[in-house]
Amino acid sequence: MKKKVLYTASTFGHLATFHQPYMRWFAEQGYEVHAAAGGEKKTLAGVSRLIELPFEKKMTAPANFRAAGILARLMREEGYALVSTHTALAAFFTRLALRRAGKSDTVMMNTSHGYLFDAETAGAKRWLLLGAERLCAPVTDYVLTMNRQDERIARQYHLGKAIVQTPGMGVDFSRFAPANAEQRSAARKAFGFSAEQVILVYPAEFSGRKNQRMLIEALPSLPENVGLLLPGRGELLEACVSLAAELGVSGRVVCPGFMSDVEMCYHAADLAVSASRIEGLPFNLMEAMHCALPVVASRIKGHEDLVIDGENGRLFPYNNKEAFVQAVCSLLSVQQRAAMGQAARRSVECYGLPTVYPKLIEIYGSALAGHSSQ
């Protein structure tokens, strides 16, 4: 009888975007791979069974506890050799389910794509989120972290039996290369930008955490030839469009919605920016950097692991519009952007899938070897 592996996440889309090479690897090793998540179902490489879960974004929503009940029954019935859980909400309820089901000899591996708190998080929220992680620590065999701050948090509070720092899940950089003159011209024309404009790009979900609002509010203080490209969707998209109109910068802000061909956005841009409050190891910045774009980003965990201030980009204090404007203005020179862009491209090569994949496979193999010896 085949041994089984379960992957969980808040959405099937997350699993499809980040984890298919690894699910395929488990299947190639002879494991039966199941995936449980919310959202629209996706075909996943190597996965033989998809289980729909009623996850909702609000942590305390009754539907999330129903999802934990479904997972607990699934774990009792299937007896998984390993459960690999991803995204903060799914990770909590997956581990809560394992507590209910009785851990047995299942290996629980929590890959933290970024704890939703840090040292700057307000007390009550921080202790609630940290408390949830500490509650789950006794059933967590491995915590895989992606940035130095999260590794320190996991070690300080003993959030798993083994804490392993990783370079993320690996980015497939095959689509993300510096634009040639023809690609740049075509991309700019598609978005309505002129050759003289300096374009800032920030592909992200429109949310309070991603903080597109600050970028729009800063735009009137930047030279008039600076434009802002904001691909993505989310609940704050319309509010951001309205804000641009109120500030009189609608002509300088383009919000094209979700784009599957996001590389076109990087080809149109001169700088990648991020105003985010908290991150794990953001794919959008790594993709942009591999396209030889320097970065202007908030000084937070995740960003600090990627951006060396003054070498491949600039860091500014979170939500500080004046510092953001100064950082962008310091990179208005084409020559300086070119030099920093090349440094940015070199610095993210270590996060590419060919480099990261064997490292994670070694971790998975070691965890499963330990399980088989029990």
Side-chain angles (χ1 to χ4, degrees):
M1 183 177 177
K2 278 188 175 183
K3 289 188 176 182
K4 298 174 183 178
V5 169
L6 174 66
Y7 266 75
T8 71
S10 297
T11 66
F12 286 106
H14 173 91
L15 296 177
T17 300
F18 299 108
H19 304 290
Q20 294 201 78
Y22 306 104
M23 294 186 288
R24 184 188 299 113
W25 178 83
F26 279 116
E28 290 169 351
Q29 305 313 302
Y31 287 84
E32 184 177 326
V33 183
H34 297 176
E40 180 185 352
K41 279 187 175 180
K42 304 280 187 181
T43 300
L44 300 172
V47 174
S48 61
R49 183 183 178 189
L50 301 176
I51 301 100
E52 292 182 277
L53 298 174
F55 280 135
E56 294 184 9
K57 280 191 174 182
K58 186 179 179 183
M59 184 71 105
T60 56
N64 293 329
F65 292 92
R66 290 199 301 274
I70 294 169
L71 286 168
R73 289 193 298 273
L74 190 66
M75 290 170 182
R76 284 192 293 265
E77 292 167 2
E78 301 291 354
Y80 294 107
L82 180 142
V83 175
S84 179
T85 188
H86 304 269
T87 68
L89 184 141
F92 174 73
F93 287 101
T94 299
R95 290 176 291 168
L96 185 65
L98 188 58
R99 287 178 65 111
R100 289 185 187 178
K103 188 172 184 307
S104 184
D105 62 348
T106 298
V107 176
M108 172 57 72
M109 184 175 288
N110 173 31
T111 300
S112 173
H113 294 259
Y115 291 128
L116 298 178
F117 60 90
D118 58 16
E120 304 302 318
T121 303
K125 180 179 179 181
R126 183 175 189 274
W127 286 108
L128 176 65
L129 293 170
L130 177 57
E133 291 297 327
R134 296 180 80 172
L135 177 67
C136 295
V139 298
T140 306
D141 296 294
Y142 290 81
V143 176
L144 274 54
T145 58
M146 299 185 182
N147 63 61
R148 291 167 292 180
Q149 282 197 48
D150 282 343
E151 181 188 15
R152 288 195 294 269
I153 290 169
R155 292 191 185 281
Q156 179 181 353
Y157 295 103
H158 309 288
L159 299 183
K161 296 169 188 173
I163 313 299
V164 183
Q165 174 70 353
T166 73
M169 301 309 303
V171 186
D172 180 359
F173 285 133
S174 59
R175 293 162 46 203
F176 302 102
N180 59 37
E182 184 178 345
Q183 288 171 323
R184 179 177 169 84
S185 176
R188 291 209 155 205
K189 183 177 180 180
F191 292 116
F193 297 131
S194 70
E196 294 75 27
Q197 285 182 281
V198 175
I199 303 303
L200 318 180
V201 64
Y202 183 30
E205 177 188 12
F206 280 81
S207 67
R209 180 165 69 91
K210 297 298 186 180
N211 200 25
Q212 286 92 344
R213 182 182 182 89
M214 190 226 74
L215 301 178
I216 296 169
E217 289 176 341
L219 206 53
S221 300
L222 286 164
E224 288 191 4
N225 71 324
V226 175
L228 187 57
L229 178 57
L230 299 173
R233 55 193 171 202
E235 60 181 13
L236 295 185
L237 171 57
E238 292 305 319
C240 285
V241 171
S242 297
L243 176 64
E246 291 169 18
L247 297 176
V249 293
S250 290
R252 298 164 62 185
V253 179
V254 174
C255 301
F258 173 78
M259 295 190 63
S260 57
D261 53 345
V262 70
E263 62 272 22
M264 181 178 173
C265 299
Y266 303 134
H267 290 167
D270 300 284
L271 287 170
V273 298
S274 175
S276 182
R277 168 63 186 87
I278 208 157
E279 289 290 346
L281 197 65
F283 264 46
N284 58 350
L285 288 192
M286 290 188 282
E287 292 168 352
M289 293 167 80
H290 205 261
C291 291
L293 295 183
V295 173
V296 175
S298 45
R299 189 183 293 275
I300 60 166
K301 66 176 183 173
H303 291 171
E304 291 177 320
D305 292 74
L306 296 174
V307 181
I308 303 170
D309 195 24
E311 183 174 316
N312 59 8
R314 298 293 307 275
L315 293 168
F316 65 92
Y318 169 72
N319 214 34
N320 187 320
K321 290 191 288 290
E322 293 75 17
F324 170 74
V325 168
Q326 289 174 7
V328 171
C329 288
S330 73
L331 293 174
L332 294 180
S333 158
V334 174
Q335 292 77 15
Q336 188 170 19
R337 289 201 305 271
M340 279 197 177
Q342 289 304 314
R345 181 174 168 84
R346 290 191 299 270
S347 68
V348 293
E349 289 290 352
C350 61
Y351 297 104
L353 189 59
T355 301
V356 176
Y357 178 85
K359 295 180 180 180
L360 289 184
I361 291 306
E362 183 178 356
I363 295 168
Y364 296 145
S366 175
L368 289 167
H371 176 271
S372 63
S373 66
Q374 292 177 1

